[in-house]
Amino acid sequence: MNFLVVFRVAFRALARNKMRSALTMLGVIIGVGSVIAMVSIGQGAQASVQEQIASVGTNLLFVRAGSQNTGGVRSGTDQGGTNTLTVEDIEAIKREVPSVGMASPSVMNRSQIVFGNQNWNTQIQGVSEQYLDIRKWKMQSGTFFTEADVRTAARVAVIGATIADNLFPGIDPVGQMIRVRELPFRVVGVLARRGQDQQGRDQDDLVMAPYTTVQKKLLAITYIQFANVSAISPEATKLAEQQITDLLRQRHKLAPNQENDFSVRNMTDVADAADETNRIMTLLLGSIAGVSLLVGGIGIMNIMLVSVTERTREIGIRMAIGARSSIVQTQFLIESIVLSLAGGAIGIALGITVSILIPKMLGWPTLISATAIFGSVLFSAAIGIIFGFFPARKAAGLDPIEALRYE
């Protein structure tokens, strides 16, 4: 069997009907292009979410007073309200939990801040001097407040980039005085810009001050609302979560049958849940796009059956002069595979082009997957073989005498 001759005959047969061959490939082109584009969108979203979670720290835990309801899953209890967490609890966590590296008590409230004749309503967040290290946040200018500022409840503030843009246009905010609820605060620094979080909230629209200052001079409370806790490593977050839970239950004197009056949320769990959600979404998008590949395969089978019918007399002549059935079957199978692979190659170029254009036109992140490209090539070749086999088998099974009589 001379495969070179068989390939040449197959290409010549396809070239005789260029328009029909192109239209036959269209289904595979759209299918392969859709799979690559959909998977790149899904993986781009997945990478973006993981990047945002990593930027706030994969070894981060949140300890909150009272219960928390996330996706219908409740942790902790409402019994005792939201004033069950104290600074002493957080100091005990830092002192007695070996898997915890740093911890920052936090309180927050919204308030109007004023500078000159400008004012802005924003979130006032009280934290400790370790907060920036825990959240991996940098300073744009100035300095963060110190442990001495926290101990003395100093009226100092660090502002976000949004506050600097709106209250201090063209002015260096560091060293300026702002008023919060009629109390003067000295701006000692400006935080580096972070942009929006996963929920679309502006992370730069806030003012930070020592938690003791916010507790005593703005809210008049003695408890804290939550704490940011950093485990010594991402692998230690599970252990830290359990040790913090055990310690707080002991400190709050909770009986074994009592629910927690606090909740501990592990960012590693959040990252894993987001990763799983995006993986399922990517699989779903790829599966939907893959359906069009099947439709393209059915189109190839349909056209190849028409081709066998049209070339019945040609098949009869070849068999009459000595061509074996296997050669006829191979020729039609090669024609089908060539159509699928050519469509797959064009589809890959289309999918990559769309994946590059989407971020520029729609602003959606994409990540072109080599696995999706390789899988699309294999899938399109498989489609050529599977959907081309039946027409090729039908051509090989023709009776030469009957084929010669076919008009």
Side-chain angles (χ1 to χ4, degrees), residues 225-245:
Q225 295 159 340
F226 64 98
N228 293 270
V229 178
S230 175
I232 55 176
S233 69
E235 294 75 23
T237 53
K238 289 286 185 185
L239 177 62
E241 182 179 359
Q242 186 58 51
Q243 290 178 336
I244 291 170
T245 302

Side-chain angles (χ1 to χ4, degrees), residues 65-281:
S67 66
Q68 185 177 1
N69 192 320
T70 304
V73 178
R74 189 163 68 95
S75 55
T77 175
D78 283 333
Q79 294 174 6
T82 57
N83 57 356
T84 54
L85 205 58
T86 63
V87 175
E88 289 72 23
D89 287 332
I90 308 308
E91 292 298 326
I93 289 173
K94 285 197 287 187
R95 188 176 59 249
E96 299 177 26
V97 178
S99 55
V100 167
M102 295 176 286
S104 169
S106 295
V107 287
M108 64 170 61
N109 200 0
R110 291 198 71 85
S111 184
Q112 202 78 11
I113 59 174
V114 179
F115 173 70
N117 60 354
Q118 304 287 329
N119 66 86
W120 190 261
N121 187 277
T122 189
Q123 175 182 285
I124 311 295
Q125 189 166 343
V127 295
S128 77
E129 75 283 357
Q130 293 186 324
Y131 183 81
L132 286 195
D133 292 330
I134 294 172
R135 299 299 298 268
K136 304 184 187 307
W137 207 332
K138 304 292 184 185
M139 295 295 295
Q140 178 178 303
S141 62
T143 59
F144 203 63
F145 45 78
T146 64
E147 189 273 338
D149 293 326
V150 175
R151 192 175 60 254
T152 59
R155 287 204 293 261
V156 292
V158 176
I159 62 175
T162 299
I163 307 296
D165 293 341
N166 287 278
L167 285 190
F168 303 96
I171 305 173
D172 183 5
V174 177
Q176 304 289 343
M177 298 297 288
I178 58 175
R179 281 181 293 126
V180 182
R181 296 188 181 181
E182 303 302 328
L183 293 176
F185 281 72
R186 181 169 54 86
V187 178
V188 295
V190 179
L191 294 164
R193 194 179 298 275
R194 271 204 162 174
Q196 296 183 339
D197 64 9
Q198 298 171 47
Q199 286 78 40
R201 293 174 299 203
D202 184 0
Q203 299 182 83
D204 303 312
D205 188 6
L206 85 170
V207 171
M208 289 186 187
Y211 72 88
T212 49
T213 308
V214 179
Q215 269 185 319
K216 297 174 182 176
K217 299 178 179 176
L218 296 181
L219 300 178
I221 58 175
T222 56
Y223 57 87
I224 64 169
Q225 295 159 340
F226 64 98
N228 293 270
V229 178
S230 175
I232 55 176
S233 69
E235 294 75 23
T237 53
K238 289 286 185 185
L239 177 62
E241 182 179 359
Q242 186 58 51
Q243 290 178 336
I244 291 170
T245 302
D246 293 342
L247 177 65
L248 291 182
R249 285 189 64 84
Q250 181 186 357
R251 287 183 59 84
H252 294 184
K253 296 181 173 57
L254 298 175
N257 59 347
Q258 277 185 287
E259 293 181 345
N260 296 336
D261 59 357
F262 58 89
S263 64
V264 182
R265 192 178 183 191
N266 187 342
M267 282 301 289
T268 303
D269 291 341
V270 176
D272 290 344
D275 191 53
E276 180 65 14
T277 302
N278 283 303
R279 192 185 66 78
I280 293 173
M281 186 60 67

Side-chain angles (χ1 to χ4, degrees), residues 14 20-29 291-307 335-336 339-340 383-384 386-388 391:
L14 292 173
R20 187 167 72 180
S21 299
L23 293 175
T24 305
M25 290 189 295
L26 195 58
V28 178
I29 293 172
V291 171
S292 59
L293 265 177
L294 289 176
V295 175
I298 293 171
I300 288 177
M301 184 171 67
N302 187 35
I303 294 300
M304 292 306 297
L305 285 172
V306 171
S307 178
E335 288 182 23
S336 173
L339 281 173
S340 298
I383 282 176
I386 294 170
F387 289 95

Side-chain angles (χ1 to χ4, degrees), residues 307-319:
S307 178
V308 170
T309 303
E310 290 178 347
R311 294 158 63 190
T312 299
R313 191 174 179 80
E314 174 193 328
I315 295 168
I317 293 172
R318 288 187 179 179
M319 287 182 165

